[in-house]
Each structure stands twice: as C-alpha cells, then as structure tokens.
Amino acid sequence: MRCAAFQAVPFGAVSTLGTVMSIDRRIISRQRLRIIGYTIRGMGTEFTRNFCIIAHIDHGKSTLADRMLQLTGTISDRDMMDQVLDSMDLEREKGVTIKASAVRMKYAAKNGIEYELNLIDTPGHVDFGYEVSRALLACEGAVLVVDATQGIEAQTLANLYLALEADLTIVPVINKIDLPSARTDEVADDIHNLLGVDPESIIAISAKEGINVDQVLEAVVRTIPPPTGDSSLPLRALIFDSHYDSYKGVVAYVRVVEGQIAAGDSLRMMSTFTDVRPVEIGIFSPTMRAVKELLPGDVGYVATGLKTVAECRVGDTITNPTNLAAEALPGFRHPKPMVFAGIYPVDGDDYGNLREALEKLQLNDASLIYEPEKSQALNFGFRCGFLGLFHMEIIQERLEREYDLDIVVTAPSVEYEIELINQETIRIDSPALLPDPGSIVEIREPWMVLQIIAPTEFYGTIMELAKKRHGVFKEQEYPAPNRVQLSYEIPLSELVVNFFDDLKSRTRGYASMDYHLADYRPGNLTKLEVLVGGEQMDALATIVHKEDAYHKGQALVTKLKELIPRQLYDVAIQASADGRIISRANVKALRKDVLAKCYGGDITRKKKLLEKQKRGKKRMKMVGNVEIPQEAFMAILRLEED
C-alpha cells in the first residue's frame, strides 16, 4: 500500500532519514524524492499526470507530442524524427494517427518538482471514435489543440464532447501561430465561446518551431488533477489499445484504475473470461521497458502471450482471478463494422497469401473481420468488414505495400436488415445476398447523425448536397461568428459513396464532418444489377433507392463502357432493377480486316474467310472471359450524378 502521511521536512533531519530507511523499498521507488534543500514526498500519485492530446486531423497533435518528448529529454535529438509516436509509414504520409500509443515522460516543472507525465496519443479519425473514447477514460485531462489557420472543426467538437462526457480537465491550445495565415485572436474568441474560458488563458504555440510548448507542460501539471485509486482494492485495469508482438503475443496497453499488477500475477479479461500469466509488464519510455509492478494511476503495458487480439479487446477490464473485481469498468463494447467490401486476388494463386495477410492484419486489428466469399466474376476472395471508408483504405494500402499483393477491391456497401414474409429478420452485408423481392416485406438501412462544420458562405451548397443524398435537416448552430454547424440524419449508404469528396470540393476543402450511428430505418430500396456479356456481375451489384435506380444505372453503364477493355467481339453492358433492363451500352469489337490478304480472286473465297471469322467470334464469345479492371469496381464511387 502507499504511504499517505508524508510531509515536507528539512533536508538532513535524522528522524526523517531513519523513517525512509524503514519503509518498504517498493514504496520508496514510488515516491518522487527531489533534493532541493528539503525532501518532497507526497501521496503515491500526487506528482503523476495522465493526459491525452485531442484534435482534428492535421492540426498538429503528433508534432506537439514530438516537442514534448524532446523538451522532457525522453528522446535524444539523435533519435528524434517527425511523428515519432506514429510508427506506421501510412500514418506519416497521411498525417493522421491510426494506432493509439502511450509514453511516460519525466518533467522538471518550474516549481522544482519532477512530475511523471503519461501521454496517450489517440487516433485522429472518426472511424476510430471508440478507441478514442477508451483512451480518454485512461486520462484525467486532455490538451485540446486547434489549428490557428483552420479554427474549430467537426472532429475537434466530437473529441471535445467525448472528453467532457469523460469529465476530463481541458487545456485549450492554439497551434501553428507561426503561419502567415494564422488567425490566433479570432480562434481564441471561438474557443472562448465554446468553452467559456478566458481568451488570455489559452496557450498559443507553434509545435513545429517549439514555441511555448513548455507552457503547455506547465498547464498540464498545474491544472490536470492527479489520478486516484486504492491499491488495496481488487484489480481493475482498462485496456485502451493493443498490438501483436511476434515474441510476446498480444501486448495490452493498460491504465491501472484500482489494485496493482505485479510481475508473475495471473490476470483475467472480464469480457472473454480469458486467464493469462503475463510474459512481461512494463511502461513506455517510449520503447517498452519492463518493470516489476504497475500501481493505481500507472499507464503501461501487459504482454499477455495471447495469440489473437480478439481475446484481449479494447475497452475490456483486467482483473485478478483470485480476487475478482465486483464489476467491469463501464463503456466496453465490440467495435461494429459499418462498411463492407470484397477483396480478391488478381492472380488466383495468391488466394492463400491473401488469407495469411488478413490473418496477420487481424492480429493487430480486432475490428477487421473477414470471411471467404466466391464471386462469379472474381472467383475466390474475402468479404471484409471495416469501421469506415478510411479504415478500408488503410487495410487496402497495407495489403498492397506490406504484403506485396495485387488485389481487386469491390465498391463498399453497408449492412441491411431484411424482414421476410415468414417474419424472419436477417442481415446482409453484400447486395448479392439480397433475397428474392417476392419474399421481402421490408428493407431497413442504417442512418447516421451527421454534423458538418463549414464557413457560412458554403451554407447553400452543403444544404443542396445533403438534400441530394437523402439527408434530413435537424438543426443548425453557430459555434463561431463566421462558421455554421449543420446537423443532419442521412443514410450511411449515401455517406460511403463519395460524400466526403463532394463536400470538400463544394467547400474548397474548408468543411469538416463527423458522424455516428442513429438507427435502422425502412427505405424504398432495390438491387441494381450489372450484366456484362449477358452474365450477372455480382461484385458490381449495389442496393440503391428506387427513385435513383434509373439514372444511377445509366451513369454506371456509361462509366463501365469507358473502363472495360474492348474484345474481339461486341460486349453488351446492361443495368437492371426490379427485374427489367433499364440501360444498355455495347463495347464495340476490335476490328480485324481478314480480307486484307485477298487481292483479286473469286468472291466465294472472300465469303469463305468471312464465314470462318464469324464462326471463330461465336466460339470466342462462348468461351471468352471479359477482364474487369479494378477501376470498374470503384466506378460506383465516381458516378456523375445530375
């Protein structure tokens, strides 16, 4: 247990030194003793601060973390690189954190006390909102970073609301004040209107140049409260992220809330009832460093030795099987895939390699799900579920880069609820699985609550876009004098098909959006099918609103006519809905002049050659395969709508 009655006494007092020598060595290791003319000793967590950095994408969150690591001497200048906590190349290229990470820093504050700072770097995209919420629960405070050139964005508000729901202390910071286009005073007023804080108290920094970063650290130790917890209670530790290590198995990132974890203790995951004896426990500094124990308030890791992250879920609670906690920490749920797509190898021989690659990716990402699937057009592949479009893009790029695979990815779809006439309700995530229309009573689709923040000058064009995508207007707010926040309810199927690109192009990149699931609602839906050469292409089928079927079918056929390569025979491309053909186009055959070698001679010879060519084309049409390029499957995302 921790000592709670330590006081500051003059340095050199014999009685104090004698008391220190008689205390258990574990407790001595937990006191932050500083010799500054007197001995400072306090409660076990008094000089600990657990905090995270929340921000919109590309507002400088990872850069600020870099400067903090440098300023506290956690990483030497020799080992320093940009976005040091972003371990993946994709994270650095896209400027967005994909995996959460944690690091322990030692900071000597201006009051002469050395503090232990645990920084948790959270993912920066709406697709990973659940992971962000778990990371926030592992902290007592959050540094809210707002770009001085962009101002408050949708993800800024979304993460801020999550932090306020978790009852965190907010430290507002304005970043990128060194840029010529910075609107520091204006953004400070916006934050004042949002949080009610004094604009003068908001810290203005440049993370890139290192300006005023020390003031952020001072604000963290001054305003964010220390963690609380009793080491004598049964163990409860929150898993806020995990990754797979080839030698140590699943490594769980944990925040100890109550109790303590000692090396060699048996542990239990409360949601899966999985018991483990850890290979190692430790802290991040920023590399993994083993320690003998983790006490209340500590942020560290537990190397479980498990072979799959499915047994060690983000948000789960770790306890001790011999001294079970009465209840798990609140908020745990299984991340639910929202977007589905088929992934197929270009070369059928790579099917085994694709399966192995997906297995390895799933070791690090429990939210990725997949199952085998067979397509008439693409043969064998996998139906995969993703948290969102960005998550899908990341998985696709990792398969191509890290595993050197040539793959075809079908257009994304969402999960639908189907009520059948026999009163059975089923869920489908592929249009090809839609039952016969005669057996369907109702099709329900997922609807999302959508928030869009943009300059007021784009109000009209955003309203037009949302109406075009079947959005239902709910309300509007003005978080700043020249910015509007529009709230809509909109079908998820309309969001996944190019909505974000359209929004950005209509607002010259100034708009931002955030969304979350509302519920499932019945819709007037039908399956839009594509036939190539008279054969159904199940991988090109989509579920659309009936009123959009005709013009979407026409646009899709027109696009496919441009993308599908010409054959030595005519190829018919057709779109059908509700059992009838609604559009058709022909890909003209490549012409070969078989009469070129006939110079002179009898007409019967020419007729004989033409008949031979006709028979050959007929045979070729029967056995030939039309190659469908990757662009054709993604054409649905680029349909030009009227």
Side-chain angles (χ1 to χ4, degrees):
M1 60 181 291
R2 296 177 189 250
C3 272
F6 283 124
Q7 298 178 2
V9 296
F11 174 67
V14 176
S15 60
T16 303
L17 293 179
T19 304
V20 171
M21 294 301 293
S22 66
I23 296 173
D24 182 77
R25 292 186 179 275
R26 285 193 307 171
I27 298 176
I28 295 176
S29 69
R30 296 296 299 168
Q31 307 309 317
R32 285 78 176 172
L33 301 182
R34 288 279 295 170
I35 300 175
I36 51 173
Y38 52 87
T39 302
I40 295 179
R41 304 164 66 196
M43 297 177 63
T45 59
E46 183 181 345
F47 303 126
T48 299
R49 300 291 184 270
N50 297 330
F51 71 102
C52 60
I53 305 176
I54 55 177
H56 189 76
I57 298 169
D58 202 30
H59 277 204
K61 179 161 57 73
S62 295
T63 307
L64 176 58
D66 290 348
R67 297 293 83 78
M68 288 181 171
L69 292 173
Q70 277 186 304
L71 197 61
T72 57
T74 307
I75 292 184
S76 64
D77 292 338
R78 181 183 65 182
D79 297 329
M80 193 64 202
M81 60 181 176
D82 289 341
Q83 295 169 260
V84 67
L85 294 182
D86 293 342
S87 56
M88 295 164 54
D89 291 338
L90 279 174
E91 291 179 308
R92 295 192 174 94
E93 288 178 19
K94 295 182 178 294
V96 55
T97 301
I98 297 168
K99 285 288 289 180
S101 54
V103 62
R104 177 175 291 188
M105 303 177 288
K106 296 289 186 182
Y107 174 62
K110 292 180 181 178
N111 60 9
I113 301 174
E114 184 176 80
Y115 289 86
E116 179 184 286
L117 306 181
N118 290 309
L119 165 62
I120 298 174
D121 193 19
T122 57
H125 195 275
V126 62
D127 285 1
F128 309 111
Y130 174 66
E131 286 79 356
V132 173
S133 70
R134 297 307 89 198
L136 292 176
L137 285 183
C139 306
E140 280 73 39
V143 176
L144 176 69
V145 179
V146 181
D147 191 325
T149 64
Q150 299 290 328
I152 296 169
E153 303 262 24
Q155 199 62 29
T156 311
L157 286 178
N159 287 336
L160 174 61
Y161 293 152
L162 286 174
L164 292 175
E165 286 176 12
D167 198 26
L168 300 191
T169 301
I170 307 297
V171 179
V173 170
I174 300 175
N175 190 23
K176 303 187 182 180
I177 61 171
D178 57 311
L179 296 182
S181 57
R183 301 178 287 111
T184 307
D185 293 339
E186 186 179 329
V187 174
D189 288 337
D190 294 346
I191 297 175
H192 163 70
N193 294 331
L194 182 66
L195 294 175
V197 298
D198 182 4
E200 298 296 326
S201 67
I202 300 172
I203 306 169
I205 69 167
S206 169
K208 185 176 181 181
E209 302 297 330
I211 301 171
N212 294 338
V213 175
D214 59 328
Q215 293 184 22
V216 180
L217 291 172
E218 286 294 323
V220 166
V221 301
R222 186 178 65 252
T223 62
I224 295 178
T228 58
D230 189 343
S231 60
S232 63
L233 293 175
L235 170 65
R236 290 202 303 173
L238 173 69
I239 302 174
F240 62 86
D241 202 4
S242 63
H243 77 268
Y244 183 78
D245 184 275
S246 302
Y247 302 101
K248 300 174 183 177
V250 176
V251 178
Y253 298 22
V254 300
R255 153 70 192 274
V256 181
V257 178
E258 295 166 348
Q260 56 185 340
I261 304 175
D265 282 355
S266 292
L267 303 176
R268 173 173 293 178
M269 314 296 164
M270 294 190 72
S271 71
T272 60
F273 299 100
T274 304
D275 289 349
V276 298
R277 187 175 292 275
V279 177
E280 177 182 289
I281 64 172
I283 61 171
F284 300 97
S285 63
T287 56
M288 294 194 298
R289 179 164 62 86
V291 297
K292 293 184 178 179
E293 63 181 359
L294 295 173
L295 297 178
D298 281 349
V299 175
Y301 68 88
V302 175
T304 63
L306 296 172
K307 299 304 181 187
T308 169
V309 288
E311 299 173 292
C312 185
R313 292 279 186 175
V314 172
D316 200 357
T317 303
I318 295 179
T319 189
N320 193 310
T322 59
N323 187 17
L324 288 172
E327 60 180 2
L329 295 166
F332 170 73
R333 62 179 173 83
H334 290 279
K336 182 183 177 184
M338 299 298 295
V339 175
F340 299 84
I343 298 181
Y344 298 85
V346 172
D347 185 349
D349 293 339
D350 283 336
Y351 177 80
N353 295 333
L354 177 59
R355 176 190 289 275
E356 185 178 336
L358 288 171
E359 286 176 355
K360 289 180 178 178
L361 285 177
Q362 197 181 50
L363 289 175
N364 275 319
D365 188 353
S367 57
L368 168 66
I369 65 168
Y370 66 92
E371 59 182 20
E373 181 181 60
K374 186 179 186 301
S375 165
Q376 294 174 339
L378 301 170
N379 293 322
F380 293 98
F382 296 92
R383 190 73 182 171
C384 300
F386 311 94
L387 296 174
L389 273 182
F390 182 72
H391 187 210
M392 170 181 157
E393 182 185 343
I394 293 299
I395 296 298
Q396 180 181 348
E397 291 202 29
R398 292 188 69 182
L399 287 171
E400 292 174 342
R401 291 187 187 192
E402 299 176 20
Y403 300 96
D404 197 25
L405 290 170
D406 289 327
I407 56 175
V408 173
V409 181
T410 64
S413 66
V414 301
E415 187 177 61
Y416 295 89
E417 282 186 355
I418 315 294
E419 185 179 338
L420 304 176
I421 56 175
N422 62 2
Q423 298 185 338
E424 182 186 359
T425 300
I426 63 172
R427 289 198 172 195
I428 64 164
D429 53 43
S430 171
L433 301 176
L434 190 69
D436 182 80
S439 64
I440 297 174
V441 175
E442 188 176 71
I443 303 176
R444 292 186 287 269
E445 62 179 335
W447 279 65
M448 312 300 286
V449 176
L450 170 68
Q451 281 94 29
I452 299 174
I453 293 184
T456 51
E457 62 186 283
F458 301 114
Y459 187 103
T461 188
I462 293 173
M463 295 279 281
E464 181 188 352
L465 173 63
K467 182 180 178 182
K468 193 176 183 179
R469 299 299 187 98
H470 303 278
V472 178
F473 177 76
K474 302 304 290 183
E475 61 181 0
Q476 64 186 31
E477 296 178 8
Y478 292 88
N482 62 339
R483 296 180 80 79
V484 62
Q485 177 181 335
L486 300 171
S487 296
Y488 286 91
E489 291 180 348
I490 189 170
L492 177 58
S493 58
E494 297 291 345
L495 275 183
V496 301
V497 181
N498 211 25
F499 183 90
F500 187 63
D501 289 344
D502 277 358
L503 179 65
K504 284 293 187 182
S505 62
R506 285 169 177 259
T507 61
R508 300 202 298 272
Y510 284 109
S512 59
M513 58 181 258
D514 180 71
Y515 55 87
H516 61 271
L517 180 66
D519 51 22
Y520 278 78
R521 300 179 188 176
N524 189 21
L525 304 170
T526 186
K527 181 163 73 168
L528 178 65
E529 297 180 289
V530 175
L531 293 84
V532 178
E535 292 187 11
Q536 286 189 358
M537 296 288 110
D538 52 0
L540 289 172
T542 57
I543 296 176
V544 299
H545 292 85
K546 284 187 178 180
E547 61 266 32
D548 297 335
Y550 180 73
H551 75 260
K552 281 192 173 181
Q554 281 194 320
L556 183 56
V557 166
T558 302
K559 196 75 177 176
L560 291 177
K561 182 183 176 182
E562 299 171 2
L563 295 173
I564 292 178
R566 295 171 68 185
Q567 310 295 314
L568 291 174
Y569 51 89
D570 285 350
V571 176
I573 304 172
Q574 299 167 300
S576 73
D578 293 330
R580 63 188 182 91
I581 302 298
I582 58 177
S583 182
R584 173 184 172 129
N586 284 343
V587 179
K588 292 297 183 182
L590 290 168
R591 299 296 181 184
K592 178 181 179 182
D593 190 358
V594 296
L595 302 181
K597 58 186 178 182
C598 292
Y599 48 92
D602 190 74
I603 187 67
T604 56
R605 186 182 175 200
K606 295 181 181 179
K607 286 184 176 180
K608 184 178 179 182
L609 283 172
L610 289 172
E611 284 296 321
K612 183 179 179 182
Q613 184 194 41
K614 186 177 179 181
R615 290 194 302 271
K617 286 199 174 187
K618 184 177 180 181
R619 184 171 62 252
M620 188 184 300
K621 198 168 185 177
M622 291 173 61
V623 301
N625 290 320
V626 180
E627 181 182 341
I628 311 292
Q630 166 73 72
E631 292 79 11
F633 295 100
M634 303 309 288
I636 299 169
L637 299 181
R638 297 187 295 273
L639 292 183
E640 294 294 333
E641 297 186 4
D642 297 330

